[in-house]
Amino acid sequence: MASRTVAGADGRSWSVRMNIEWSTPAVGDEFEHDVDGGRGAAIMILSSLLLFWVVLIFWKPSLVSVPFYLWFIAAFAILFFPFRWYLRRPYTIVAETEGSYDADLPAEHWSGMVRGRSRAKEEMRVVVRSLRTRATPGHSDSPLQPVN
């Protein structure tokens, strides 16, 4: 998605990029604890909502009118969750370099994951600043960790 080339403090050229993950990857310790309701729960909730709106719109008596604010609530409910899902998608941030033959600096590959676009952009700025000043993309409590 977004990619930048950064000159590190030690002279190496780093490629820093950020990609959106459309499905949440199961990693290490989180694999066994990743439990959700599954498709069955989502289908049940969506079918209940669809049934509610079908009854409200098509099977109502002719003298019953649906208030305008109910349409706004429906539009908000329909658009809120997909919008929130999109904004809270995990982003993978990768910083890598091929190394430097002049100074015998090795090739490095750092990777990490953050949730949300604004947090991912902020982490990209932190990584770029860290590369320019300290020649390393992460620190001990950073989402970016070295990958072998």
Side-chain angles (χ1 to χ4, degrees), residues 48-94:
S48 313
L49 283 171
L50 180 68
L51 178 67
F52 170 74
W53 286 103
V54 166
V55 167
L56 189 65
I57 294 170
F58 296 111
W59 289 345
K60 65 179 172 74
S62 59
L63 296 177
V64 174
S65 65
V66 178
F68 72 93
Y69 62 85
L70 207 53
W71 293 108
F72 289 125
I73 291 171
F76 179 76
I78 289 171
L79 296 175
F80 174 76
F81 291 107
F83 189 67
R84 182 183 180 277
W85 175 83
Y86 175 73
L87 289 179
R88 295 286 300 157
R89 293 308 321 148
Y91 281 80
T92 301
I93 299 174
V94 177

mmCIF file of all heavy atoms in Angstrom, residues 48-94:
data_model
loop_
_atom_site.group_PDB
_atom_site.id
_atom_site.type_symbol
_atom_site.label_atom_id
_atom_site.label_comp_id
_atom_site.label_asym_id
_atom_site.label_seq_id
_atom_site.Cartn_x
_atom_site.Cartn_y
_atom_site.Cartn_z
ATOM 1 N N SER A 48 -32.028 -11.997 11.205
ATOM 2 C CA SER A 48 -32.984 -11.377 12.136
ATOM 3 C C SER A 48 -33.226 -9.919 11.764
ATOM 4 O O SER A 48 -34.379 -9.453 11.771
ATOM 5 C CB SER A 48 -32.491 -11.419 13.568
ATOM 6 O OG SER A 48 -32.012 -12.649 13.911
ATOM 7 N N LEU A 49 -32.152 -9.207 11.462
ATOM 8 C CA LEU A 49 -32.309 -7.805 11.053
ATOM 9 C C LEU A 49 -33.078 -7.683 9.745
ATOM 10 O O LEU A 49 -33.933 -6.807 9.597
ATOM 11 C CB LEU A 49 -30.943 -7.145 10.909
ATOM 12 C CG LEU A 49 -30.257 -6.743 12.196
ATOM 13 C CD1 LEU A 49 -28.825 -6.296 11.928
ATOM 14 C CD2 LEU A 49 -31.025 -5.632 12.871
ATOM 15 N N LEU A 50 -32.791 -8.557 8.795
ATOM 16 C CA LEU A 50 -33.495 -8.535 7.518
ATOM 17 C C LEU A 50 -34.981 -8.824 7.729
ATOM 18 O O LEU A 50 -35.832 -8.135 7.150
ATOM 19 C CB LEU A 50 -32.877 -9.554 6.561
ATOM 20 C CG LEU A 50 -33.521 -9.618 5.192
ATOM 21 C CD1 LEU A 50 -33.237 -8.331 4.433
ATOM 22 C CD2 LEU A 50 -33.028 -10.814 4.434
ATOM 23 N N LEU A 51 -35.280 -9.792 8.556
ATOM 24 C CA LEU A 51 -36.679 -10.113 8.847
ATOM 25 C C LEU A 51 -37.386 -8.924 9.495
ATOM 26 O O LEU A 51 -38.524 -8.595 9.139
ATOM 27 C CB LEU A 51 -36.761 -11.339 9.756
ATOM 28 C CG LEU A 51 -38.176 -11.762 10.169
ATOM 29 C CD1 LEU A 51 -38.947 -12.264 8.952
ATOM 30 C CD2 LEU A 51 -38.123 -12.815 11.251
ATOM 31 N N PHE A 52 -36.724 -8.250 10.424
ATOM 32 C CA PHE A 52 -37.295 -7.067 11.069
ATOM 33 C C PHE A 52 -37.653 -6.004 10.035
ATOM 34 O O PHE A 52 -38.750 -5.455 10.058
ATOM 35 C CB PHE A 52 -36.312 -6.512 12.097
ATOM 36 C CG PHE A 52 -36.705 -5.175 12.641
ATOM 37 C CD1 PHE A 52 -37.745 -5.053 13.548
ATOM 38 C CD2 PHE A 52 -36.037 -4.027 12.248
ATOM 39 C CE1 PHE A 52 -38.117 -3.817 14.058
ATOM 40 C CE2 PHE A 52 -36.390 -2.790 12.741
ATOM 41 C CZ PHE A 52 -37.446 -2.687 13.645
ATOM 42 N N TRP A 53 -36.724 -5.711 9.114
ATOM 43 C CA TRP A 53 -36.967 -4.662 8.133
ATOM 44 C C TRP A 53 -37.999 -5.088 7.089
ATOM 45 O O TRP A 53 -38.779 -4.263 6.628
ATOM 46 C CB TRP A 53 -35.666 -4.213 7.477
ATOM 47 C CG TRP A 53 -34.881 -3.389 8.432
ATOM 48 C CD1 TRP A 53 -33.804 -3.762 9.147
ATOM 49 C CD2 TRP A 53 -35.182 -2.053 8.834
ATOM 50 N NE1 TRP A 53 -33.395 -2.750 9.971
ATOM 51 C CE2 TRP A 53 -34.221 -1.674 9.792
ATOM 52 C CE3 TRP A 53 -36.163 -1.134 8.484
ATOM 53 C CZ2 TRP A 53 -34.212 -0.433 10.389
ATOM 54 C CZ3 TRP A 53 -36.143 0.119 9.081
ATOM 55 C CH2 TRP A 53 -35.191 0.453 10.026
ATOM 56 N N VAL A 54 -38.037 -6.354 6.737
ATOM 57 C CA VAL A 54 -39.064 -6.826 5.803
ATOM 58 C C VAL A 54 -40.435 -6.687 6.436
ATOM 59 O O VAL A 54 -41.387 -6.220 5.790
ATOM 60 C CB VAL A 54 -38.781 -8.294 5.383
ATOM 61 C CG1 VAL A 54 -39.984 -8.922 4.712
ATOM 62 C CG2 VAL A 54 -37.581 -8.345 4.460
ATOM 63 N N VAL A 55 -40.571 -7.074 7.698
ATOM 64 C CA VAL A 55 -41.856 -6.926 8.391
ATOM 65 C C VAL A 55 -42.226 -5.451 8.499
ATOM 66 O O VAL A 55 -43.368 -5.064 8.275
ATOM 67 C CB VAL A 55 -41.800 -7.588 9.789
ATOM 68 C CG1 VAL A 55 -42.996 -7.182 10.639
ATOM 69 C CG2 VAL A 55 -41.741 -9.093 9.644
ATOM 70 N N LEU A 56 -41.259 -4.609 8.834
ATOM 71 C CA LEU A 56 -41.535 -3.183 9.012
ATOM 72 C C LEU A 56 -41.935 -2.507 7.703
ATOM 73 O O LEU A 56 -42.800 -1.638 7.695
ATOM 74 C CB LEU A 56 -40.306 -2.496 9.593
ATOM 75 C CG LEU A 56 -40.478 -1.063 10.051
ATOM 76 C CD1 LEU A 56 -41.442 -1.013 11.228
ATOM 77 C CD2 LEU A 56 -39.156 -0.466 10.450
ATOM 78 N N ILE A 57 -41.358 -2.919 6.604
ATOM 79 C CA ILE A 57 -41.611 -2.224 5.334
ATOM 80 C C ILE A 57 -42.759 -2.852 4.544
ATOM 81 O O ILE A 57 -43.652 -2.157 4.065
ATOM 82 C CB ILE A 57 -40.327 -2.201 4.482
ATOM 83 C CG1 ILE A 57 -39.274 -1.342 5.178
ATOM 84 C CG2 ILE A 57 -40.596 -1.650 3.094
ATOM 85 C CD1 ILE A 57 -37.904 -1.433 4.559
ATOM 86 N N PHE A 58 -42.760 -4.179 4.403
ATOM 87 C CA PHE A 58 -43.698 -4.820 3.488
ATOM 88 C C PHE A 58 -44.948 -5.374 4.152
ATOM 89 O O PHE A 58 -46.002 -5.432 3.534
ATOM 90 C CB PHE A 58 -42.997 -5.943 2.716
ATOM 91 C CG PHE A 58 -41.897 -5.438 1.837
ATOM 92 C CD1 PHE A 58 -40.576 -5.724 2.139
ATOM 93 C CD2 PHE A 58 -42.172 -4.653 0.729
ATOM 94 C CE1 PHE A 58 -39.554 -5.266 1.338
ATOM 95 C CE2 PHE A 58 -41.156 -4.182 -0.077
ATOM 96 C CZ PHE A 58 -39.841 -4.484 0.223
ATOM 97 N N TRP A 59 -44.895 -5.826 5.375
ATOM 98 C CA TRP A 59 -46.037 -6.456 6.005
ATOM 99 C C TRP A 59 -46.737 -5.555 7.014
ATOM 100 O O TRP A 59 -47.451 -6.025 7.879
ATOM 101 C CB TRP A 59 -45.613 -7.742 6.709
ATOM 102 C CG TRP A 59 -45.253 -8.829 5.752
ATOM 103 C CD1 TRP A 59 -45.531 -8.886 4.430
ATOM 104 C CD2 TRP A 59 -44.552 -10.021 6.068
ATOM 105 N NE1 TRP A 59 -45.045 -10.013 3.891
ATOM 106 C CE2 TRP A 59 -44.429 -10.744 4.867
ATOM 107 C CE3 TRP A 59 -44.008 -10.553 7.222
ATOM 108 C CZ2 TRP A 59 -43.792 -11.962 4.805
ATOM 109 C CZ3 TRP A 59 -43.377 -11.766 7.153
ATOM 110 C CH2 TRP A 59 -43.275 -12.469 5.964
ATOM 111 N N LYS A 60 -46.533 -4.284 6.917
ATOM 112 C CA LYS A 60 -47.187 -3.367 7.848
ATOM 113 C C LYS A 60 -48.577 -2.998 7.323
ATOM 114 O O LYS A 60 -48.805 -2.999 6.114
ATOM 115 C CB LYS A 60 -46.338 -2.112 8.050
ATOM 116 C CG LYS A 60 -46.178 -1.275 6.802
ATOM 117 C CD LYS A 60 -45.345 -0.058 7.086
ATOM 118 C CE LYS A 60 -45.002 0.694 5.853
ATOM 119 N NZ LYS A 60 -45.988 1.448 5.219
ATOM 120 N N PRO A 61 -49.478 -2.683 8.210
ATOM 121 C CA PRO A 61 -50.790 -2.196 7.749
ATOM 122 C C PRO A 61 -50.631 -0.888 6.979
ATOM 123 O O PRO A 61 -49.675 -0.139 7.156
ATOM 124 C CB PRO A 61 -51.571 -1.981 9.046
ATOM 125 C CG PRO A 61 -50.877 -2.824 10.064
ATOM 126 C CD PRO A 61 -49.439 -2.868 9.645
ATOM 127 N N SER A 62 -51.569 -0.589 6.144
ATOM 128 C CA SER A 62 -51.470 0.577 5.267
ATOM 129 C C SER A 62 -51.502 1.903 6.035
ATOM 130 O O SER A 62 -50.968 2.907 5.565
ATOM 131 C CB SER A 62 -52.592 0.567 4.233
ATOM 132 O OG SER A 62 -53.845 0.580 4.896
ATOM 133 N N LEU A 63 -52.117 1.943 7.210
ATOM 134 C CA LEU A 63 -52.193 3.192 7.965
ATOM 135 C C LEU A 63 -50.966 3.448 8.837
ATOM 136 O O LEU A 63 -50.850 4.514 9.435
ATOM 137 C CB LEU A 63 -53.453 3.190 8.838
ATOM 138 C CG LEU A 63 -54.776 3.152 8.068
ATOM 139 C CD1 LEU A 63 -55.946 3.070 9.037
ATOM 140 C CD2 LEU A 63 -54.890 4.384 7.192
ATOM 141 N N VAL A 64 -50.074 2.482 8.935
ATOM 142 C CA VAL A 64 -48.868 2.649 9.741
ATOM 143 C C VAL A 64 -47.793 3.296 8.869
ATOM 144 O O VAL A 64 -47.519 2.854 7.767
ATOM 145 C CB VAL A 64 -48.370 1.293 10.285
ATOM 146 C CG1 VAL A 64 -47.044 1.454 11.002
ATOM 147 C CG2 VAL A 64 -49.418 0.673 11.187
ATOM 148 N N SER A 65 -47.201 4.359 9.407
ATOM 149 C CA SER A 65 -46.106 5.005 8.664
ATOM 150 C C SER A 65 -44.808 4.852 9.467
ATOM 151 O O SER A 65 -44.814 4.917 10.696
ATOM 152 C CB SER A 65 -46.400 6.483 8.423
ATOM 153 O OG SER A 65 -46.447 7.155 9.654
ATOM 154 N N VAL A 66 -43.737 4.644 8.747
ATOM 155 C CA VAL A 66 -42.429 4.483 9.383
ATOM 156 C C VAL A 66 -41.821 5.871 9.550
ATOM 157 O O VAL A 66 -41.684 6.611 8.575
ATOM 158 C CB VAL A 66 -41.507 3.596 8.518
ATOM 159 C CG1 VAL A 66 -40.140 3.458 9.151
ATOM 160 C CG2 VAL A 66 -42.151 2.242 8.299
ATOM 161 N N PRO A 67 -41.474 6.272 10.775
ATOM 162 C CA PRO A 67 -40.897 7.609 10.989
ATOM 163 C C PRO A 67 -39.560 7.763 10.258
ATOM 164 O O PRO A 67 -38.811 6.791 10.080
ATOM 165 C CB PRO A 67 -40.685 7.680 12.502
ATOM 166 C CG PRO A 67 -41.362 6.509 13.082
ATOM 167 C CD PRO A 67 -41.611 5.539 12.012
ATOM 168 N N PHE A 68 -39.260 8.987 9.870
ATOM 169 C CA PHE A 68 -38.042 9.251 9.096
ATOM 170 C C PHE A 68 -36.785 8.927 9.904
ATOM 171 O O PHE A 68 -35.786 8.482 9.349
ATOM 172 C CB PHE A 68 -38.010 10.698 8.615
ATOM 173 C CG PHE A 68 -37.761 11.692 9.713
ATOM 174 C CD1 PHE A 68 -36.463 12.105 9.999
ATOM 175 C CD2 PHE A 68 -38.808 12.207 10.467
ATOM 176 C CE1 PHE A 68 -36.226 13.010 11.008
ATOM 177 C CE2 PHE A 68 -38.568 13.108 11.475
ATOM 178 C CZ PHE A 68 -37.279 13.512 11.748
ATOM 179 N N TYR A 69 -36.822 9.149 11.212
ATOM 180 C CA TYR A 69 -35.613 8.883 12.003
ATOM 181 C C TYR A 69 -35.287 7.392 12.054
ATOM 182 O O TYR A 69 -34.150 7.009 12.252
ATOM 183 C CB TYR A 69 -35.738 9.453 13.419
ATOM 184 C CG TYR A 69 -36.852 8.881 14.247
ATOM 185 C CD1 TYR A 69 -36.667 7.716 14.961
ATOM 186 C CD2 TYR A 69 -38.079 9.525 14.329
ATOM 187 C CE1 TYR A 69 -37.698 7.178 15.721
ATOM 188 C CE2 TYR A 69 -39.100 9.000 15.087
ATOM 189 C CZ TYR A 69 -38.909 7.828 15.786
ATOM 190 O OH TYR A 69 -39.923 7.309 16.538
ATOM 191 N N LEU A 70 -36.286 6.539 11.857
ATOM 192 C CA LEU A 70 -36.028 5.102 11.809
ATOM 193 C C LEU A 70 -35.208 4.735 10.575
ATOM 194 O O LEU A 70 -34.377 3.829 10.615
ATOM 195 C CB LEU A 70 -37.353 4.341 11.833
ATOM 196 C CG LEU A 70 -37.324 2.938 12.421
ATOM 197 C CD1 LEU A 70 -36.705 2.956 13.804
ATOM 198 C CD2 LEU A 70 -38.710 2.367 12.473
ATOM 199 N N TRP A 71 -35.422 5.481 9.477
ATOM 200 C CA TRP A 71 -34.613 5.256 8.273
ATOM 201 C C TRP A 71 -33.168 5.680 8.516
ATOM 202 O O TRP A 71 -32.232 5.035 8.033
ATOM 203 C CB TRP A 71 -35.203 6.004 7.078
ATOM 204 C CG TRP A 71 -36.536 5.461 6.663
ATOM 205 C CD1 TRP A 71 -37.747 6.050 6.830
ATOM 206 C CD2 TRP A 71 -36.786 4.192 6.046
ATOM 207 N NE1 TRP A 71 -38.744 5.250 6.361
ATOM 208 C CE2 TRP A 71 -38.180 4.096 5.865
ATOM 209 C CE3 TRP A 71 -35.988 3.141 5.642
ATOM 210 C CZ2 TRP A 71 -38.779 2.990 5.281
ATOM 211 C CZ3 TRP A 71 -36.589 2.038 5.055
ATOM 212 C CH2 TRP A 71 -37.964 1.969 4.883
ATOM 213 N N PHE A 72 -32.967 6.769 9.252
ATOM 214 C CA PHE A 72 -31.598 7.197 9.582
ATOM 215 C C PHE A 72 -30.908 6.185 10.492
ATOM 216 O O PHE A 72 -29.730 5.897 10.319
ATOM 217 C CB PHE A 72 -31.602 8.578 10.240
ATOM 218 C CG PHE A 72 -31.931 9.691 9.298
ATOM 219 C CD1 PHE A 72 -32.967 10.554 9.585
ATOM 220 C CD2 PHE A 72 -31.208 9.873 8.129
ATOM 221 C CE1 PHE A 72 -33.285 11.582 8.721
ATOM 222 C CE2 PHE A 72 -31.517 10.895 7.260
ATOM 223 C CZ PHE A 72 -32.557 11.758 7.550
ATOM 224 N N ILE A 73 -31.664 5.646 11.439
ATOM 225 C CA ILE A 73 -31.100 4.627 12.326
ATOM 226 C C ILE A 73 -30.724 3.386 11.516
ATOM 227 O O ILE A 73 -29.662 2.790 11.729
ATOM 228 C CB ILE A 73 -32.081 4.277 13.463
ATOM 229 C CG1 ILE A 73 -32.218 5.466 14.416
ATOM 230 C CG2 ILE A 73 -31.644 3.038 14.213
ATOM 231 C CD1 ILE A 73 -33.313 5.305 15.451
ATOM 232 N N ALA A 74 -31.561 3.016 10.585
ATOM 233 C CA ALA A 74 -31.279 1.842 9.745
ATOM 234 C C ALA A 74 -30.025 2.075 8.900
ATOM 235 O O ALA A 74 -29.162 1.199 8.800
ATOM 236 C CB ALA A 74 -32.468 1.534 8.853
ATOM 237 N N ALA A 75 -29.937 3.250 8.293
ATOM 238 C CA ALA A 75 -28.756 3.554 7.471
ATOM 239 C C ALA A 75 -27.500 3.570 8.329
ATOM 240 O O ALA A 75 -26.448 3.043 7.927
ATOM 241 C CB ALA A 75 -28.943 4.891 6.761
ATOM 242 N N PHE A 76 -27.596 4.148 9.511
ATOM 243 C CA PHE A 76 -26.450 4.177 10.421
ATOM 244 C C PHE A 76 -26.034 2.764 10.828
ATOM 245 O O PHE A 76 -24.858 2.418 10.819
ATOM 246 C CB PHE A 76 -26.784 5.016 11.657
ATOM 247 C CG PHE A 76 -25.677 5.069 12.657
ATOM 248 C CD1 PHE A 76 -24.565 5.867 12.428
ATOM 249 C CD2 PHE A 76 -25.738 4.318 13.822
ATOM 250 C CE1 PHE A 76 -23.534 5.908 13.352
ATOM 251 C CE2 PHE A 76 -24.710 4.359 14.745
ATOM 252 C CZ PHE A 76 -23.608 5.163 14.505
ATOM 253 N N ALA A 77 -27.010 1.932 11.161
ATOM 254 C CA ALA A 77 -26.711 0.557 11.577
ATOM 255 C C ALA A 77 -26.110 -0.247 10.434
ATOM 256 O O ALA A 77 -25.203 -1.052 10.632
ATOM 257 C CB ALA A 77 -27.981 -0.118 12.092
ATOM 258 N N ILE A 78 -26.601 -0.032 9.238
ATOM 259 C CA ILE A 78 -26.088 -0.772 8.085
ATOM 260 C C ILE A 78 -24.673 -0.324 7.726
ATOM 261 O O ILE A 78 -23.828 -1.138 7.370
ATOM 262 C CB ILE A 78 -27.038 -0.609 6.884
ATOM 263 C CG1 ILE A 78 -28.324 -1.386 7.159
ATOM 264 C CG2 ILE A 78 -26.397 -1.077 5.590
ATOM 265 C CD1 ILE A 78 -29.420 -1.127 6.164
ATOM 266 N N LEU A 79 -24.373 0.956 7.859
ATOM 267 C CA LEU A 79 -23.061 1.468 7.455
ATOM 268 C C LEU A 79 -22.017 1.468 8.570
ATOM 269 O O LEU A 79 -20.824 1.487 8.290
ATOM 270 C CB LEU A 79 -23.205 2.885 6.907
ATOM 271 C CG LEU A 79 -24.034 2.999 5.638
ATOM 272 C CD1 LEU A 79 -24.198 4.455 5.256
ATOM 273 C CD2 LEU A 79 -23.418 2.204 4.514
ATOM 274 N N PHE A 80 -22.446 1.453 9.830
ATOM 275 C CA PHE A 80 -21.507 1.572 10.938
ATOM 276 C C PHE A 80 -20.522 0.413 11.007
ATOM 277 O O PHE A 80 -19.312 0.608 11.075
ATOM 278 C CB PHE A 80 -22.264 1.683 12.273
ATOM 279 C CG PHE A 80 -21.364 1.654 13.466
ATOM 280 C CD1 PHE A 80 -20.630 2.770 13.805
ATOM 281 C CD2 PHE A 80 -21.230 0.506 14.235
ATOM 282 C CE1 PHE A 80 -19.791 2.756 14.907
ATOM 283 C CE2 PHE A 80 -20.395 0.480 15.339
ATOM 284 C CZ PHE A 80 -19.670 1.610 15.666
ATOM 285 N N PHE A 81 -21.035 -0.807 11.001
ATOM 286 C CA PHE A 81 -20.163 -1.956 11.214
ATOM 287 C C PHE A 81 -19.188 -2.214 10.068
ATOM 288 O O PHE A 81 -18.020 -2.499 10.325
ATOM 289 C CB PHE A 81 -20.989 -3.194 11.565
ATOM 290 C CG PHE A 81 -21.617 -3.068 12.919
ATOM 291 C CD1 PHE A 81 -22.965 -2.838 13.046
ATOM 292 C CD2 PHE A 81 -20.848 -3.135 14.062
ATOM 293 C CE1 PHE A 81 -23.544 -2.694 14.293
ATOM 294 C CE2 PHE A 81 -21.409 -2.991 15.320
ATOM 295 C CZ PHE A 81 -22.756 -2.774 15.432
ATOM 296 N N PRO A 82 -19.587 -2.105 8.801
ATOM 297 C CA PRO A 82 -18.570 -2.246 7.744
ATOM 298 C C PRO A 82 -17.517 -1.136 7.797
ATOM 299 O O PRO A 82 -16.328 -1.384 7.565
ATOM 300 C CB PRO A 82 -19.364 -2.174 6.442
ATOM 301 C CG PRO A 82 -20.744 -2.513 6.813
ATOM 302 C CD PRO A 82 -20.929 -2.065 8.232
ATOM 303 N N PHE A 83 -17.936 0.071 8.121
ATOM 304 C CA PHE A 83 -16.990 1.188 8.220
ATOM 305 C C PHE A 83 -16.009 0.957 9.368
ATOM 306 O O PHE A 83 -14.804 1.136 9.222
ATOM 307 C CB PHE A 83 -17.764 2.494 8.407
ATOM 308 C CG PHE A 83 -16.911 3.713 8.298
ATOM 309 C CD1 PHE A 83 -16.323 4.071 7.106
ATOM 310 C CD2 PHE A 83 -16.690 4.510 9.412
ATOM 311 C CE1 PHE A 83 -15.532 5.197 7.006
ATOM 312 C CE2 PHE A 83 -15.897 5.634 9.334
ATOM 313 C CZ PHE A 83 -15.321 5.980 8.124
ATOM 314 N N ARG A 84 -16.524 0.529 10.506
ATOM 315 C CA ARG A 84 -15.661 0.226 11.655
ATOM 316 C C ARG A 84 -14.734 -0.934 11.334
ATOM 317 O O ARG A 84 -13.560 -0.917 11.684
ATOM 318 C CB ARG A 84 -16.516 -0.112 12.875
ATOM 319 C CG ARG A 84 -15.700 -0.397 14.115
ATOM 320 C CD ARG A 84 -16.606 -0.799 15.274
ATOM 321 N NE ARG A 84 -15.837 -1.073 16.452
ATOM 322 C CZ ARG A 84 -15.240 -2.230 16.711
ATOM 323 N NH1 ARG A 84 -15.335 -3.213 15.847
ATOM 324 N NH2 ARG A 84 -14.557 -2.406 17.818
ATOM 325 N N TRP A 85 -15.238 -1.957 10.654
ATOM 326 C CA TRP A 85 -14.421 -3.109 10.276
ATOM 327 C C TRP A 85 -13.267 -2.658 9.387
ATOM 328 O O TRP A 85 -12.137 -3.086 9.565
ATOM 329 C CB TRP A 85 -15.303 -4.129 9.558
ATOM 330 C CG TRP A 85 -14.565 -5.301 9.013
ATOM 331 C CD1 TRP A 85 -14.193 -6.419 9.696
ATOM 332 C CD2 TRP A 85 -14.101 -5.473 7.679
ATOM 333 N NE1 TRP A 85 -13.528 -7.277 8.850
ATOM 334 C CE2 TRP A 85 -13.453 -6.714 7.619
ATOM 335 C CE3 TRP A 85 -14.168 -4.691 6.529
ATOM 336 C CZ2 TRP A 85 -12.891 -7.195 6.447
ATOM 337 C CZ3 TRP A 85 -13.605 -5.163 5.373
ATOM 338 C CH2 TRP A 85 -12.971 -6.409 5.344
ATOM 339 N N TYR A 86 -13.556 -1.778 8.435
ATOM 340 C CA TYR A 86 -12.509 -1.294 7.537
ATOM 341 C C TYR A 86 -11.464 -0.465 8.292
ATOM 342 O O TYR A 86 -10.263 -0.612 8.081
ATOM 343 C CB TYR A 86 -13.111 -0.466 6.408
ATOM 344 C CG TYR A 86 -12.060 0.150 5.523
ATOM 345 C CD1 TYR A 86 -11.342 -0.631 4.631
ATOM 346 C CD2 TYR A 86 -11.764 1.508 5.600
ATOM 347 C CE1 TYR A 86 -10.362 -0.072 3.836
ATOM 348 C CE2 TYR A 86 -10.785 2.064 4.817
ATOM 349 C CZ TYR A 86 -10.095 1.269 3.935
ATOM 350 O OH TYR A 86 -9.116 1.826 3.155
ATOM 351 N N LEU A 87 -11.918 0.397 9.187
ATOM 352 C CA LEU A 87 -10.981 1.255 9.911
ATOM 353 C C LEU A 87 -10.131 0.493 10.918
ATOM 354 O O LEU A 87 -9.033 0.931 11.249
ATOM 355 C CB LEU A 87 -11.733 2.382 10.625
ATOM 356 C CG LEU A 87 -12.322 3.452 9.732
ATOM 357 C CD1 LEU A 87 -13.062 4.479 10.574
ATOM 358 C CD2 LEU A 87 -11.264 4.114 8.884
ATOM 359 N N ARG A 88 -10.600 -0.625 11.426
ATOM 360 C CA ARG A 88 -9.878 -1.393 12.435
ATOM 361 C C ARG A 88 -9.138 -2.605 11.876
ATOM 362 O O ARG A 88 -8.729 -3.479 12.619
ATOM 363 C CB ARG A 88 -10.851 -1.854 13.519
ATOM 364 C CG ARG A 88 -11.467 -0.731 14.306
ATOM 365 C CD ARG A 88 -10.511 -0.122 15.265
ATOM 366 N NE ARG A 88 -10.059 -1.145 16.199
ATOM 367 C CZ ARG A 88 -8.937 -1.087 16.870
ATOM 368 N NH1 ARG A 88 -8.133 -0.094 16.702
ATOM 369 N NH2 ARG A 88 -8.589 -2.051 17.692
ATOM 370 N N ARG A 89 -8.974 -2.678 10.557
ATOM 371 C CA ARG A 89 -8.235 -3.791 9.966
ATOM 372 C C ARG A 89 -6.787 -3.752 10.427
ATOM 373 O O ARG A 89 -6.220 -2.681 10.633
ATOM 374 C CB ARG A 89 -8.236 -3.727 8.434
ATOM 375 C CG ARG A 89 -9.545 -3.929 7.775
ATOM 376 C CD ARG A 89 -10.341 -5.140 8.147
ATOM 377 N NE ARG A 89 -9.610 -6.367 8.356
ATOM 378 C CZ ARG A 89 -9.965 -7.316 9.221
ATOM 379 N NH1 ARG A 89 -11.046 -7.175 9.935
ATOM 380 N NH2 ARG A 89 -9.261 -8.395 9.375
ATOM 381 N N PRO A 90 -6.165 -4.914 10.588
ATOM 382 C CA PRO A 90 -4.746 -4.921 10.952
ATOM 383 C C PRO A 90 -3.872 -4.547 9.755
ATOM 384 O O PRO A 90 -4.177 -4.889 8.620
ATOM 385 C CB PRO A 90 -4.484 -6.364 11.389
ATOM 386 C CG PRO A 90 -5.603 -7.164 10.868
ATOM 387 C CD PRO A 90 -6.757 -6.246 10.621
ATOM 388 N N TYR A 91 -2.816 -3.821 10.041
ATOM 389 C CA TYR A 91 -1.836 -3.436 9.038
ATOM 390 C C TYR A 91 -0.503 -4.078 9.400
ATOM 391 O O TYR A 91 -0.103 -4.063 10.558
ATOM 392 C CB TYR A 91 -1.654 -1.924 9.001
ATOM 393 C CG TYR A 91 -2.743 -1.191 8.259
ATOM 394 C CD1 TYR A 91 -3.961 -0.932 8.849
ATOM 395 C CD2 TYR A 91 -2.544 -0.761 6.958
ATOM 396 C CE1 TYR A 91 -4.957 -0.265 8.178
ATOM 397 C CE2 TYR A 91 -3.538 -0.086 6.273
ATOM 398 C CZ TYR A 91 -4.743 0.151 6.892
ATOM 399 O OH TYR A 91 -5.729 0.812 6.212
ATOM 400 N N THR A 92 0.176 -4.622 8.404
ATOM 401 C CA THR A 92 1.501 -5.167 8.594
ATOM 402 C C THR A 92 2.509 -4.121 8.147
ATOM 403 O O THR A 92 2.413 -3.596 7.036
ATOM 404 C CB THR A 92 1.696 -6.450 7.764
ATOM 405 O OG1 THR A 92 0.719 -7.395 8.170
ATOM 406 C CG2 THR A 92 3.074 -7.031 7.978
ATOM 407 N N ILE A 93 3.453 -3.805 9.014
ATOM 408 C CA ILE A 93 4.510 -2.849 8.692
ATOM 409 C C ILE A 93 5.805 -3.647 8.559
ATOM 410 O O ILE A 93 6.145 -4.444 9.432
ATOM 411 C CB ILE A 93 4.631 -1.772 9.779
ATOM 412 C CG1 ILE A 93 3.314 -1.006 9.882
ATOM 413 C CG2 ILE A 93 5.792 -0.833 9.468
ATOM 414 C CD1 ILE A 93 3.257 -0.026 10.996
ATOM 415 N N VAL A 94 6.494 -3.444 7.454
ATOM 416 C CA VAL A 94 7.720 -4.177 7.161
ATOM 417 C C VAL A 94 8.829 -3.177 6.865
ATOM 418 O O VAL A 94 8.640 -2.247 6.082
ATOM 419 C CB VAL A 94 7.532 -5.116 5.949
ATOM 420 C CG1 VAL A 94 8.825 -5.822 5.598
ATOM 421 C CG2 VAL A 94 6.433 -6.113 6.208
#
